[in-house]
Amino acid sequence: MAGLPHNKMAMDPALVRIGNLSSNRYKYFRWTKRTATVSFVFVIAIPGILGYLGYKNDGLWDLRGKRRGDTISER
């Protein structure tokens, strides 16, 4: 058993191609309108919206230590 080759199965060419493409993606990347838009959305827009919502709701809701009949809103 120790001397036998363990990779007797044939490799799927599509999986090999995807593996090579993902490991060499930086070589083939180009800035296009689509990649710039996607990068802007995921790097600036979504974190900005989440930060704004977090800032506006900071201290607005107090869910700890409430009793029956108390309001959730602090304002």
Side-chain angles (χ1 to χ4, degrees):
M1 275 198 131
L4 296 175
H6 296 289
N7 54 356
K8 292 220 176 212
M9 291 178 37
M11 296 292 286
D12 186 9
L15 292 177
V16 171
R17 183 171 164 247
I18 289 174
N20 289 336
L21 181 67
S22 65
S23 64
N24 296 320
R25 187 175 305 271
Y26 69 95
K27 295 178 185 176
Y28 305 107
F29 180 79
R30 289 187 183 207
W31 283 105
T32 60
K33 184 177 181 180
R34 181 175 186 266
T35 57
T37 304
V38 169
S39 298
F40 174 78
V41 166
F42 283 110
V43 173
I44 295 173
I46 292 176
I49 291 169
L50 290 175
Y52 175 76
L53 290 175
Y55 178 75
K56 292 304 279 184
N57 289 320
D58 186 31
L60 183 63
W61 309 105
D62 187 19
L63 299 176
R64 297 181 64 185
K66 291 294 182 181
R67 296 183 182 167
R68 186 177 302 168
D70 290 344
T71 62
I72 295 175
S73 179
E74 291 295 320
R75 291 184 185 170

